[in-house]
Each structure stands twice: as structure tokens, then as C-alpha cells.
Amino acid sequence: MSQESSPPPPLPARKSVDSAAEKISIETEASKKLPDLPPAANANQRISFDLNDSVSQISAVRQWELYTSLQLNETSDLFVNNSIGQNTIRSKLNELEVEDGDTNTKFWIDIVNDYTNSILLNKKINKLEEKVLAGVPSNIRYLVYLKTLLVRQKLNSRETFSSLLTKSRQLRDEYIESLNVDSRVKEVLIVFNYYINEMTNSKFEIESEESSEVMQFPISRFIINVCILLGTFPDASQEDVLYLLLKFNKLYTCLNKDEFFYKVSRSLEEDLPDIFKHISVQGINLNSLFRGILVQLFSSELLDEEICLRVLDFVVFEGFDFVLRLILYMFRRNLEKIKELDGDALLEFLSCPEFVSEVQFDFKEVLAEEPSVIQYENEFYLINANSMNNNSNELTNLKEVNDELVVKINDLRRKIDSLQATHYEISDQSEQYTKDLSEAEIENQKLLKRQAELQEKYQNLTMAENLSNTIKANQEFSQRNFELEQQIKNLQKSIEEKNAKLAKIQPS
């Protein structure tokens, strides 16, 4: 009787089935944690604003529309859509321990869980601003940012933050390396710089005969300041900080700087006309000042870190229109100081960091500023539209001017030809004069040399003649001295004889 064979080993589980089951279980678990559906009455409501709404409501709604647009999403194949990104955020929220009575933290948890944006839908932006003024808890701030900025992307399965960092270090940036910032922040900046210049910059290659080079875009100071602030979030990973930094970069690059500076200038002109006129009369370029302030407001080296984070919080919810109101508030606070200064002193004061750092910020007063941003935007685009409509008329005028210039150019060419002929004649004469001058200089050198030789001979002859005359004069003086000595001797002898005779004559 044959021995019974052992049963075959069990087949391995199918990965596809297990992964599908796991995915279903994750989705089921996540669906259990979803908040309740909004009331049916609000189902057909749309987030919008009207001209009677406050600047805060208008800014918040338009900022939400910007976040939902495609222009704020990264298009690189380095990232993939994270369909369960919001569920991941909610799972992190469930891990938070909220103390009883902590209404502030509960409010922000509700904000993260509120996928209907009921704050904007019901126009309760004032309540949101009150909570921002009270302060966003540090342990939940990055989750609020991830939800509000609609960060729904993650690195693909082939990449991790560590692998990107390894690749990024090959693109050494001395400026980033020299920054005095936390090492984690510096690593995020290195990866960000690598992504911007190496992975999204391939279409900007400049073809040359020898090799192809890629334009390197320097990292902006705004991004550095924001990254430093994001690095203060205690529970945010470097990967989360990178996602947020990419969103802020898109937000900053999509900002129409000309339109923004125009709105700030018009706000100053309408709300502070005396100050605006005083500064304009001095010939100061306000746009360069606004550009500097836009970066300085996020610098934790210049301002208190809490103030910078508060500004960043408002920018997340209301965009850069809040910065417009903040600049208007700063000029209002420095009103008296600006009136006292003129010329270079005024420019130096407006450009110095103290113009920003010495302001005592009261964000309630900042929120009280209500510039007519819609009106200023319409003015800006109307100016651009008018300039475009006038292009055809300007083109006709330019053609007429061009015809006149062609006639003038032809006349000038004839004059140039005449002047050219005269120039050639003068050049020929100049060459002849130069040749004659060279010959004269050579002859002059010869004569100077001959003169030097003759002077040397003359000096030698003069010295010999002087010596001969001196010897002859000495001989004459010697002869005369001898004769004088003989005369003296004769006189002495005669005197002695006369003295002897006189002695004989006189009686003793």
C-alpha cells in the first residue's frame, strides 16, 4: 500500500488582493472619521462675495479661489496626487490631546475638519480673525496650513526627502550654505533650490555651440524668511515643510507685483493724501520701498517671531491684501516722523529696517483698515486696457514719425558722406604733418646734441683761459709786491739816515 502524500503548501496571498483589501479598510476607517454632511439648505450655496462685504471677506474668498485653481499646483512628475491627504491630516488631529475647555484648539480642529469652508460660506470671517488674533496653537498650525493651502501632493514612490537631499547636495549653493539658520531649515532650502533649478528649469535651457547650460534662479529672501518660520513648527516634518514652502513660492510668484504696488500707492493716496503727496514730491520710488517691506515683514531676525507668524497666518487666509493693509497701517503709525523729514533723510528713514521694526503692531487696528482694493484693481486693469486700445493709434503715429525719420536719416547720410570725404582729406594732411613733425623732431634732437657738445667744449675752454689769467694776475701781483717791499726798505733806510742826521744836529 502506497504511503499517502502530504498536502501541498498553501499558496502565497495575492498582493493585489491584499493591497486592495488594505485600501478598502483604510478608506472605510477614514470614512468613519469624516465629519457630518452640511445641512441640505447649504448644499446649493456658493462661496462668494459682494462689493458691500469687508476687505477681509473679499480677500479670504479670493484667496480660497486661488488655492483651488490649478496654477498653485506643482506639475513635476516628482509628485503624485495624494487622494487621502486630508484623511492623513485628520488622523494626525485625532492623535492630539485637547484639554477640556480649550475652545481655541477645538476651533482650529473644526477648521481643519470643515471641508465645506462654512466660515466663508456663512461670512463669519470676523470670527476667524478673532481666533487668529488669539493665536493658532503651534502644534496644530502646520495642519491648518496644509488644509487651508490644499496641499494634496506627496513624493512619488521612487523618491524620499532623504534621496532628494542627497541629489541636491551636488548642486552646491554657497549662499544657502552660508546662511545662519537651523540645519533642518537649510536642508529644506537645499532641496527646494534643487527642485526649482534642476527639475522644473529644464525648459529654460540655453543652447550654445559647445554645451547647454541651465539658467540658475537664485532663491529669494522671501522664501528664506518663510522657510525659517515654517521650520519653527514643532511637529512638522521636513517633507511637510517642503510642501508648504512650494505653495508659498507659487503664491509669491503668482502675485502681480505691479498690481499690488499700485494698490498700495492708491491706498496711501486715498487714506493718507498728505503723506503720499509729501513723499511723491521728494521723488522717492515707492515701489522699491514696498518690495523691501514685503520681504521684511516675514523676517524673524528683524521682527519678533510671533509677529512674523501672525502675519503669515493672515496671509494664508487673506493673501497679500493683508500685507497691503499692514503697510498702510505702518505709514499711519509713522505719520509724524515722515512729515518732519525731507529729501535724503526721508528716503533713508523709509528704507531703513527701523521703519518696520520700531512699529508697535496692533493687528486689530490693521484689520480696521478698509482700502478699496476692488476699485484700485479695476483702475489698474483699465489703465492697461486703455494702453492696449491706444496701441493702434500709437502705431499709426509711429509710422508717420518713422517716415519723417527716414527722410532725416537720408539727409544725415549725405552729410555724413561729405564729412567723411573731409575727414579723409584732413587725415591725409594729418599724416603729412605727422611725418614732417617726426623729421623736425629728429633734426631737433641732432641740434640739441650738437648744442650740448659745444657747451661742454665752451666750458672746458673757459676754465683753461680763467686759469691762465689767474696765473698771470698772480705774477703781476707778485712783481708789484716785490717792488713795494723794495720801496719800503728804501724808505726805512732814508728814515734811519735822517734820524741820524737829526741826532747830530740837536745838542746833547
Side-chain angles (χ1 to χ4, degrees):
M1 185 175 179
S2 61
Q3 187 178 1
E4 294 182 358
S5 60
S6 60
L11 294 174
R14 294 182 180 179
K15 295 182 179 180
S16 60
V17 175
D18 291 347
S19 60
E22 182 180 357
K23 182 177 181 181
I24 293 173
S25 63
I26 292 175
E27 292 179 350
T28 304
E29 182 181 357
S31 63
K32 294 179 181 179
K33 299 177 182 179
L34 292 176
D36 297 334
L37 291 174
N42 296 335
N44 297 325
Q45 288 187 5
R46 187 172 63 89
I47 297 176
S48 62
F49 64 87
D50 54 56
L51 297 180
N52 295 324
D53 288 335
S54 64
V55 176
S56 298
Q57 176 69 20
I58 295 173
S59 301
V61 171
R62 295 199 302 182
Q63 199 67 12
W64 173 79
E65 293 174 349
L66 181 61
Y67 293 150
T68 56
S69 64
L70 297 178
Q71 61 179 331
L72 251 65
N73 295 329
E74 299 296 331
T75 57
S76 172
D77 56 0
L78 178 66
F79 301 104
V80 295
N81 289 333
N82 187 11
S83 58
I84 60 172
Q86 298 301 314
N87 295 333
T88 304
I89 294 176
R90 293 190 186 96
S91 65
K92 294 180 180 179
L93 285 177
N94 294 331
E95 298 174 0
L96 295 176
E97 296 181 359
V98 182
E99 298 179 358
D100 294 337
D102 189 358
T103 57
N104 190 37
T105 302
K106 290 181 180 179
F107 172 83
W108 291 110
I109 291 177
D110 293 339
I111 287 292
V112 175
N113 285 323
D114 181 18
Y115 58 87
T116 63
N117 287 302
S118 59
I119 291 289
L120 300 180
L121 194 63
N122 300 323
K123 297 186 177 182
K124 296 181 178 179
I125 190 66
N126 292 336
K127 182 178 180 181
L128 177 64
E129 290 177 340
E130 291 176 0
K131 293 298 182 179
V132 173
L133 291 175
V136 183
S138 59
N139 61 337
I140 200 177
R141 179 179 267 121
Y142 84 101
L143 297 177
V144 174
Y145 282 18
L146 289 173
K147 187 266 179 183
T148 306
L149 294 171
L150 298 182
V151 177
R152 295 174 179 173
Q153 62 189 20
K154 65 177 182 179
L155 295 174
N156 59 42
S157 58
R158 300 185 302 274
E159 295 288 353
T160 62
F161 184 85
S162 299
S163 63
L164 278 179
L165 181 60
T166 302
K167 296 177 183 178
S168 304
R169 292 193 182 278
Q170 299 175 2
L171 181 66
R172 294 188 59 84
D173 191 307
E174 295 181 359
Y175 178 65
I176 297 179
E177 295 291 344
S178 64
L179 292 175
N180 185 20
V181 296
D182 183 72
S183 59
R184 296 179 74 254
V185 173
K186 186 177 294 185
E187 289 175 353
V188 174
L189 289 173
I190 291 173
V191 174
F192 174 84
N193 185 49
Y194 171 77
Y195 172 75
I196 294 298
N197 286 298
E198 293 295 324
M199 308 197 70
T200 64
N201 196 19
S202 58
K203 61 182 178 180
F204 296 109
E205 291 184 359
I206 303 175
E207 298 294 339
S208 61
E209 296 180 357
E210 299 179 356
S211 62
S212 61
E213 298 180 355
V214 179
M215 296 174 59
Q216 297 293 325
F217 292 96
I219 192 167
S220 68
R221 190 67 212 183
F222 171 82
I223 291 299
I224 295 174
N225 292 341
V226 171
C227 188
I228 293 174
L229 295 177
L230 297 178
T232 61
F233 298 169
D235 298 327
S237 65
Q238 289 179 297
E239 189 172 335
D240 290 333
V241 172
L242 176 63
Y243 296 154
L244 292 174
L245 192 63
L246 290 173
K247 281 289 185 178
F248 280 108
N249 180 60
K250 285 284 187 178
L251 191 64
Y252 183 70
T253 54
C254 290
L255 174 66
N256 188 336
K257 307 297 190 303
D258 293 333
E259 175 193 339
F260 177 75
F261 297 151
Y262 177 81
K263 290 192 294 184
V264 179
S265 297
R266 287 287 289 117
S267 299
L268 288 176
E269 184 179 8
E270 291 294 331
D271 295 350
L272 300 172
D274 295 337
I275 291 298
F276 181 80
K277 182 179 180 181
H278 178 66
I279 296 175
S280 300
V281 169
Q282 309 299 323
I284 296 175
N285 185 359
L286 288 173
N287 286 359
S288 61
L289 296 177
F290 299 153
R291 190 181 300 274
I293 294 173
L294 182 61
V295 175
Q296 292 172 347
L297 287 173
F298 301 92
S299 174
S300 57
E301 297 177 356
L302 183 63
L303 298 174
D304 184 72
E305 185 178 287
E306 285 300 321
I307 293 178
C308 295
L309 288 172
R310 195 67 49 82
V311 174
L312 193 62
D313 292 340
F314 277 109
V315 169
V316 167
F317 289 105
E318 299 183 5
F320 286 101
D321 281 345
F322 176 79
V323 177
L324 183 155
R325 301 160 77 182
L326 195 56
I327 294 176
L328 186 60
Y329 169 79
M330 290 166 55
F331 275 88
R332 196 183 299 277
R333 295 286 294 183
N334 289 287
L335 188 66
E336 299 300 329
K337 182 69 174 179
I338 294 175
K339 288 182 178 179
E340 296 174 358
L341 301 175
D342 292 313
D344 293 340
L346 177 59
L347 176 60
E348 183 178 356
F349 172 68
L350 295 176
S351 304
C352 69
E354 287 75 16
F355 178 75
V356 179
S357 61
E358 293 184 356
V359 175
Q360 299 296 326
F361 289 96
D362 187 342
F363 287 97
K364 289 185 178 180
E365 294 185 8
V366 175
L367 294 174
E369 301 286 352
E370 290 284 333
S372 303
V373 291
I374 300 295
Q375 175 188 340
Y376 304 150
E377 288 175 2
N378 292 337
E379 291 176 0
F380 177 79
Y381 288 108
L382 183 61
I383 292 172
N384 289 342
N386 288 337
S387 63
M388 293 177 64
N389 291 332
N390 290 331
N391 282 344
S392 58
N393 295 332
E394 292 179 1
L395 182 60
T396 303
N397 296 333
L398 289 174
K399 287 181 179 179
E400 295 177 357
V401 173
N402 179 67
D403 295 338
E404 295 177 359
L405 290 176
V406 169
V407 175
K408 292 182 179 180
I409 289 173
N410 292 332
D411 292 338
L412 290 174
R413 283 177 177 172
R414 286 193 293 270
K415 292 180 180 180
I416 289 173
D417 293 337
S418 176
L419 292 173
Q420 192 73 23
T422 305
H423 172 71
Y424 288 145
E425 294 177 1
I426 295 174
S427 297
D428 294 338
Q429 293 179 1
S430 176
E431 291 177 359
Q432 183 63 36
Y433 292 154
T434 303
K435 183 179 179 181
D436 295 342
L437 180 61
S438 299
E439 294 176 354
E441 287 180 349
I442 294 173
E443 185 67 23
N444 184 46
Q445 292 295 331
K446 291 180 179 179
L447 292 174
L448 290 174
K449 184 177 180 181
R450 179 63 178 167
Q451 181 185 9
E453 293 175 354
L454 292 175
Q455 285 181 348
E456 185 177 358
K457 290 181 179 180
Y458 173 76
Q459 290 176 357
N460 293 334
L461 292 174
T462 302
M463 291 175 63
E465 184 178 357
N466 290 339
L467 180 61
S468 176
N469 293 335
T470 302
I471 293 172
K472 186 177 180 180
N474 288 337
Q475 290 176 352
E476 291 178 355
F477 290 149
S478 178
Q479 182 65 30
R480 292 180 63 183
N481 288 338
F482 179 76
E483 292 176 354
L484 290 173
E485 288 177 356
Q486 291 296 326
Q487 291 178 4
I488 292 171
K489 289 179 179 181
N490 293 332
L491 288 173
Q492 288 178 349
K493 186 177 179 181
S494 174
I495 291 171
E496 289 176 355
E497 290 177 354
K498 289 180 179 181
N499 287 334
K501 289 179 180 181
L502 181 62
K504 291 179 180 181
I505 295 173
Q506 291 179 354
S508 56

